[in-house]
Amino acid sequence: MIAAYLKNIGNKIPSNSKIVVYVKLKGLIDSKDEYKIQALRLLNMIRDFLQPSEIYVPTFTYSFTKKNFFDVKDTSSEVGRFSEEIRNIYASKHYRTLDPVFSVVETENGSFRNHIFNNNSFGPSSIWEYLNQHPHYIVNINLNLPIISTELHYLEYKIKVPYRYMKNFKGVVRGWDNINHEFEYNYYVRDLELNPQWNREKIFAACHKHNLVLECGPIKLFEWNNLSNFLQKKLSYDINYLINKEE
């Protein structure tokens, strides 16, 4: 069934698009195959039906801020089974990007695999800066929340929202060369005293109202340029728009 949904979505977007894929794999594919096989099946269906030029799969590790250590080869992804399986599948190709918190795997070309470690979560050398400068789609598949998109954090960083601030984390990172490096990472964190939470229901309802989302079955697709422009306008009137309950 997921193949039919992907085909429907693929008919509505141009081929050779860049996409960022957020997936909950459990329960998505009716199969008793191991998760690695399921992840590959889904990835190949995304390739076949969406025909993207670049596929970015988040392999984030928020634990760097607590454990102060990140190994690009061996530190597990903390954002779902699909993510972890993709990380493992492409480990031998060194496709995982060198970012101790917001690493991704670009499955088609291994984009950014040769870059140095990124030391600023949303800074000029981050994947999010690159994606912001290039048209791309955010693809949510089988998720429990109305919208998931790290690009929204990038937007908060650019707008300089008052409920987040830059914090420096010191630790050790280990690259593909197996050498440990002392490292300082600048992360745009939320103010825990304020404890801001996105109003995802409101954001998604606005996307639906203004035709900023394509939906088909368990798939939601957002074109970033259009979504970013819409949200920047909202934030220009209300800098707390993403977290406020009311419009």
Side-chain angles (χ1 to χ4, degrees):
M1 186 64 73
I2 186 63
Y5 295 136
L6 285 167
K7 183 177 181 180
N8 183 287
I9 290 289
N11 288 333
K12 297 176 181 178
I13 67 171
S15 58
N16 295 313
S17 296
K18 296 174 174 60
I19 63 173
V20 182
V21 182
Y22 302 86
V23 176
K24 177 188 172 187
L25 188 58
K26 186 176 180 180
L28 183 62
I29 296 176
D30 185 16
S31 171
K32 294 182 180 179
D33 291 331
E34 61 183 39
Y35 281 119
K36 176 181 178 180
I37 301 302
Q38 292 187 40
L40 275 174
R41 284 180 60 193
L42 178 59
L43 180 62
N44 285 328
M45 283 190 281
I46 291 170
R47 286 169 169 154
D48 290 344
F49 296 118
L50 272 59
Q51 298 184 354
S53 61
E54 298 172 16
I55 302 173
Y56 292 87
V57 179
T59 54
F60 300 164
T61 46
Y62 301 107
S63 61
F64 177 77
T65 63
K66 305 291 186 183
K67 299 179 179 178
N68 308 112
F69 179 77
F70 173 77
D71 184 333
V72 68
K73 181 174 67 175
D74 292 329
T75 300
S76 298
S77 169
E78 298 166 3
V79 286
R81 173 63 72 170
F82 177 77
S83 168
E84 175 63 2
E85 296 299 337
I86 295 298
R87 182 192 72 80
N88 278 314
I89 290 166
Y90 287 93
S92 64
K93 292 188 176 183
H94 298 182
Y95 276 12
R96 191 184 200 182
T97 56
L98 297 169
D99 187 311
V101 176
F102 289 114
S103 66
V104 300
V105 170
E106 197 288 291
T107 62
E108 305 311 282
N109 311 294
S111 301
F112 298 93
R113 66 186 182 276
N114 294 321
H115 278 216
I116 61 173
F117 265 100
N118 177 51
N119 65 358
N120 185 324
S121 55
F122 302 109
S125 64
S126 70
I127 186 66
W128 311 106
E129 177 69 29
Y130 166 81
L131 286 169
N132 187 62
Q133 294 175 5
H134 293 80
H136 70 279
Y137 291 91
I138 300 156
V139 186
N140 286 189
I141 302 178
N142 196 39
L143 302 181
N144 296 329
L145 295 172
I147 179 172
I148 291 181
S149 169
T150 306
E151 287 89 335
L152 298 188
H153 286 314
Y154 170 86
L155 197 57
E156 290 176 318
Y157 170 80
K158 285 296 187 182
I159 298 292
K160 304 303 180 192
V161 294
Y163 50 85
R164 286 184 174 270
Y165 65 98
M166 191 63 75
K167 185 175 181 179
N168 181 269
F169 293 88
K170 294 182 179 180
V172 173
V173 297
R174 182 180 295 160
W176 294 111
D177 56 7
N178 291 318
I179 297 175
N180 289 351
H181 305 270
E182 297 291 329
F183 198 72
E184 293 189 13
Y185 188 78
N186 295 305
Y187 186 8
Y188 199 54
V189 301
R190 60 191 174 119
D191 187 332
L192 294 179
E193 291 186 5
L194 299 174
N195 194 29
Q197 302 290 332
W198 286 345
N199 188 337
R200 297 176 193 266
E201 290 77 13
K202 181 188 77 172
I203 297 167
F204 179 73
C207 288
H208 195 272
K209 178 180 179 180
H210 295 280
N211 298 315
L212 297 172
V213 57
L214 287 175
E215 293 183 87
C216 190
I219 304 172
K220 298 169 187 168
L221 184 140
F222 309 84
E223 199 281 323
W224 175 239
N225 281 351
N226 291 334
L227 178 57
S228 176
N229 290 337
F230 172 79
L231 292 177
Q232 286 184 70
K233 185 176 181 179
K234 289 290 187 180
L235 287 162
S236 70
Y237 294 110
D238 176 10
I239 201 165
N240 293 315
Y241 174 79
L242 295 175
I243 63 173
N244 280 346
K245 293 184 178 180
E246 303 298 331
E247 280 285 355

